[in-house]
Amino acid sequence: MPRMTKRCSSSKPSLSRYAVKRSGVVTRLSVLLIGVTLYGCGPVPDASIDPPFDATSMSPLGELQRSDPNPLNNLYWGDLHIHTALSSDAFLMGVRAMPEDAYRFARGDAIEHAVGYGIQAQRPLDFAAVTDHSEFLGQARETLRDIPTERMSLRALLTTENQIAVMRYWWETISRMKDLGFQQGMTVDPEINQRAWRQVIDAAEAYNDPGRFSALIGWEWSAWAGDLATHLHRNVIYRDERVSERPFSALDGGRPEDLWAFLDSERGAGRHVLAIPHNSNQSKGLMYRVGGEWGLDINDPLAQRRSEFEPVSEILQIKGASETHPLLSPLDEFADYEIASMIVGTEDTLDTVRGGYARDALLTGLAIERAYGFNPFQFGVIGSSDSHNASSPSDESDYSGKLPVMDGSAGLRTGAVGIALDQINPVTRWSSGGLAAVWARENTREAIFDALQRRETYATSGPRISVRFFAGAQLDPEWLQHSDGVAKAYQHAVPMGGKLQLAEGERPEFLVQAAKDPLGAHLDRIQLVKGWIDTSGRSHETIYDLAWSDGRVPDERGVLPSVTNTVDAADASYRNDVGEGVLNAWWQDPEFDPLQPSVYYVRVLEIPTPRWSTFDAVKLGNPPMDPVSIQERAISSPIWYAPDP
């Protein structure tokens, strides 16, 4: 018998069992003023800022290792969502690092944070892409020289005794962003945009090193559905150096269909390109909605090819997780992970979250395919950072924030200033970022791109958890124990991102291999998430625990007890004497119906570890905020099954 428990099963809820409740904007502004009064009247320098950057005191990580091509694919780690000073919002928030700095950081070098201290990753990445906003690309850097950081260094601002200066800087920045035209009014300067685009390309060309490090070329298309708070953003990534003459921005076309038309024209010109949606959690449900003013038009031929143009979605990053939401998956005890809605002072509802999360979209895609014969939401998943400081801050213990003046230090995030700023800016609800994992034959731009296109990818919240996931019929559980098991799985099954075909009478079987991050925490469990459409057209989801650590026994309801939480908030530590380093699972779907379209994906959970805010609390000598600990995770791309037409 397979090692398995059935975690939960539900149809889509008609009534809310969960709500994110927050105080109103007026209350938050009042608290902000109180914060300014309390914290701005005395000497409260941000003592959490690390010593000034000194390149000579930071050792390089060493020469990048070359990986040999592998027909069974190597696992590569990267970040396809990094901003630099060429993004106007980043520049206005004090960032001066450029694309070459982003690639240096990704390759393991130390760089200077905008607040003035040094940052360096524990391990280099295998690939990365600078994805600066194509809207007004480079314009703030070339045209706005009189912003506050030119008169006073950001570091000096944050260490001054008068913290009102921080508030003033924050408000001045917002005003300049409005003046720049993030809402309306600024004229595009094509010459500046062209120069900035050339800088992006040149940096990628300079740091690309096939076999050791892949520097992909791209940008971010940053469209909003009517207002700044409704994100429809995508990162556009090219396969090689054959790229467009200039980036296509939301000012050229603000609807997803406009971007798809551009991608189609690029492909027609012989250039290989794709788009990666992100922050669907902050789209007010529009990212995967069907119909309506901003939803998908299923009669549009370009919309029917959406899964071709957008083969993967970014579901884990600094601005929250987009896998699922407790309102959509009320029986999933792990659904409430790094939920970060955009609008402070508002409440999430079923209407605003439906269409904004990946699991719900996968189910919608099954229903569309059943009714219309195509699936526009057949996508894989990745994680990335969305850092605006030319870095990839995915490590909880060394989190350096997204935008310097908002969360560039522990004091800004969770100290006195952070408490006040949080009343209007929800940085304490942000995550530490994520990573993209791809199974590719070699470390080249082309191989990484091809893995994205075929969806043999997965997302993690930061740890480098290794995950293999295959589906087929008559798979041998013993393959997991043999050195040639992966080769046999590729021969007889489909990997994550694939489409499963079965002969009459066959039932789907799955193989999962998961191994801990060599520098990280042990594993708690492997879960399989199944979604399907019944004969009446209603969607359902079920979660199975396939393998777990520590000899735990499910209760009479089939619920697996939680793994022991060893986190000590006093010093932001945990013990690795619980959990397991490796978990394997073979599983056959006990409720498979060959007439029902289905989708399956794997979620691998670590044991609890301290959240970045707990590390901040220790640094500041403050009580930690909730949650003190989190269970970091890996989420695979799905495998689909569809009945024969």
Side-chain angles (χ1 to χ4, degrees), residues 267-283:
R267 293 184 173 198
R271 291 184 278 270
H272 299 276
V273 62
L274 54 80
I276 304 174
H278 65 85
N279 282 122
S280 60
N281 61 316
Q282 297 181 1
S283 69

Side-chain angles (χ1 to χ4, degrees), residues 541-619:
E541 64 182 52
T542 306
I543 301 177
Y544 296 90
D545 290 313
L546 303 190
W548 54 89
S549 65
D550 300 334
R552 289 168 285 165
V553 178
D555 64 18
E556 64 278 0
R557 299 168 298 158
V559 177
L560 184 67
S562 298
V563 71
T564 301
N565 188 334
T566 67
V567 170
D568 185 346
D571 60 0
S573 65
Y574 70 95
R575 301 193 314 273
N576 241 354
D577 55 5
V578 299
E580 293 187 16
V582 176
L583 291 173
N584 294 325
W586 172 93
W587 181 73
Q588 185 181 65
D589 186 353
E591 299 178 334
F592 175 70
D593 184 333
L595 300 180
Q596 295 176 344
S598 306
V599 61
Y600 305 84
Y601 69 86
V602 163
R603 185 168 65 188
V604 180
L605 300 176
E606 284 188 345
I607 64 172
T609 52
R611 190 173 185 262
W612 64 261
S613 50
T614 303
F615 285 101
D616 276 3
V618 171
K619 178 180 285 189

Side-chain angles (χ1 to χ4, degrees), residues 198-500:
R198 190 70 253 171
Q199 289 176 291
V200 172
I201 296 170
D202 289 347
E205 291 292 273
Y207 286 92
N208 189 57
D209 186 1
R212 289 189 174 90
F213 180 81
S214 296
L216 289 89
I217 304 172
W219 73 80
E220 179 174 332
W221 176 85
S222 308
W224 302 286
D227 63 74
L228 288 173
T230 307
H231 289 197
L232 297 177
H233 300 189
R234 272 85 165 165
N235 290 325
V236 177
I237 304 293
Y238 282 88
R239 186 175 188 265
D240 49 37
E241 72 281 359
R242 294 174 295 171
V243 300
S244 60
E245 182 177 344
R246 67 178 182 88
F248 182 86
S249 82
L251 304 175
D252 299 310
R255 301 181 67 87
E257 292 85 351
D258 300 325
L259 177 62
W260 301 334
F262 170 80
L263 299 179
D264 192 43
S265 67
E266 286 289 276
R267 293 184 173 198
R271 291 184 278 270
H272 299 276
V273 62
L274 54 80
I276 304 174
H278 65 85
N279 282 122
S280 60
N281 61 316
Q282 297 181 1
S283 69
K284 294 183 182 177
L286 292 178
M287 186 67 79
Y288 304 115
R289 184 169 295 171
V290 177
E293 181 181 1
W294 291 93
L296 186 79
D297 180 0
I298 58 177
N299 295 313
D300 186 333
L302 284 175
Q304 294 176 16
R305 296 171 59 195
R306 177 170 176 164
S307 63
E308 173 189 339
F309 297 131
E310 300 179 356
V312 296
S313 287
E314 178 188 303
I315 65 166
L316 294 171
Q317 68 129 267
I318 287 176
K319 297 201 301 292
S322 299
E323 180 204 0
T324 192
H325 190 286
L327 282 170
L328 298 167
S329 303
L331 300 181
D332 182 353
E333 66 178 293
F334 298 106
D336 190 9
Y337 178 75
E338 298 293 349
I339 299 297
S341 299
M342 185 65 177
I343 305 299
V344 179
T346 63
E347 180 178 303
D348 286 345
T349 68
L350 199 56
D351 287 337
T352 61
V353 300
R354 180 177 286 134
Y357 288 81
R359 189 186 300 176
D360 180 56
L362 294 171
L363 291 168
T364 301
L366 294 180
I368 293 174
E369 183 170 31
R370 179 169 185 162
Y372 297 95
F374 67 92
N375 186 346
F377 301 139
Q378 199 162 65
F379 57 83
V381 298
I382 63 166
S384 282
S385 69
D386 198 6
S387 162
H388 279 55
N389 198 55
S391 57
S392 185
S394 60
D395 185 352
E396 300 289 324
S397 66
D398 196 26
Y399 182 50
S400 54
K402 173 183 171 70
L403 280 162
V405 75
M406 298 168 73
D407 65 345
S409 71
L412 279 172
R413 293 188 294 267
T414 56
V417 181
I419 290 171
L421 284 179
D422 183 55
Q423 308 312 311
I424 53 174
N425 178 48
V427 297
T428 59
R429 289 185 290 275
W430 284 354
S431 181
S432 67
L435 287 177
V438 304
W439 289 102
R441 291 181 179 272
E442 57 185 351
N443 190 358
T444 63
R445 288 170 171 168
E446 294 79 3
I448 299 295
F449 182 97
D450 292 347
L452 294 168
Q453 191 71 64
R454 70 174 183 270
R455 304 181 293 264
E456 197 169 354
T457 66
Y458 62 96
T460 85
S461 55
R464 301 190 183 190
I465 305 167
S466 175
V467 180
R468 291 272 201 182
F469 178 41
F470 294 94
Q474 301 179 6
L475 306 184
D476 188 345
E478 294 299 317
W479 291 349
L480 297 173
Q481 313 302 325
H482 297 160
S483 59
D484 62 348
V486 171
K488 290 181 177 179
Y490 272 115
Q491 182 180 358
H492 298 286
V494 297
M496 62 179 80
K499 301 176 184 178
L500 178 62

Side-chain angles (χ1 to χ4, degrees), residues 80-93:
L80 295 175
H81 194 172
I82 304 172
H83 294 267
T84 74
L86 296 179
S87 288
S88 292
D89 57 346
F91 183 84
L92 285 166
M93 289 285 184

Side-chain angles (χ1 to χ4, degrees), residues 48-220:
S48 72
I49 299 176
D50 292 327
F53 175 64
D54 179 4
T56 62
S57 67
M58 306 187 78
S59 302
L61 295 183
E63 184 178 355
L64 295 174
Q65 298 298 309
R66 176 178 292 277
S67 64
D68 295 326
N70 180 3
L72 300 179
N73 295 319
N74 297 314
L75 178 57
Y76 296 114
W77 296 97
D79 189 341
L80 295 175
H81 194 172
I82 304 172
H83 294 267
T84 74
L86 296 179
S87 288
S88 292
D89 57 346
F91 183 84
L92 285 166
M93 289 285 184
V95 175
R96 298 296 178 266
M98 294 293 285
E100 54 265 29
D101 297 303
Y103 289 122
R104 286 177 50 235
F105 180 90
R107 289 168 58 102
D109 290 340
I111 66 171
E112 184 175 7
H113 190 280
V115 174
Y117 57 88
I119 52 176
Q120 185 176 24
Q122 290 185 354
R123 291 167 285 185
L125 296 175
D126 299 306
F127 63 92
V130 169
T131 53
D132 281 309
H133 296 291
S134 55
E135 297 75 25
F136 312 115
L137 182 67
Q139 286 188 229
R141 182 173 178 271
E142 287 206 25
T143 61
L144 298 178
R145 296 294 187 181
D146 61 337
I147 62 174
T149 51
E150 296 299 321
R151 299 193 299 270
M152 176 189 292
S153 75
L154 186 55
R155 183 181 183 86
L157 181 69
L158 297 180
T159 56
T160 181
E161 292 184 356
N162 184 3
Q163 291 298 323
I164 292 179
V166 178
M167 305 295 184
R168 183 181 301 115
Y169 179 91
W170 196 89
W171 283 111
E172 288 184 17
T173 299
I174 297 300
S175 297
R176 298 308 287 270
M177 288 175 68
K178 291 181 179 178
D179 293 342
L180 182 63
F182 276 81
Q183 291 179 315
Q184 60 183 2
M186 184 175 181
T187 301
V188 171
D189 189 322
E191 292 186 6
I192 293 178
N193 302 158
Q194 191 69 40
R195 283 196 296 271
W197 179 227
R198 190 70 253 171
Q199 289 176 291
V200 172
I201 296 170
D202 289 347
E205 291 292 273
Y207 286 92
N208 189 57
D209 186 1
R212 289 189 174 90
F213 180 81
S214 296
L216 289 89
I217 304 172
W219 73 80
E220 179 174 332

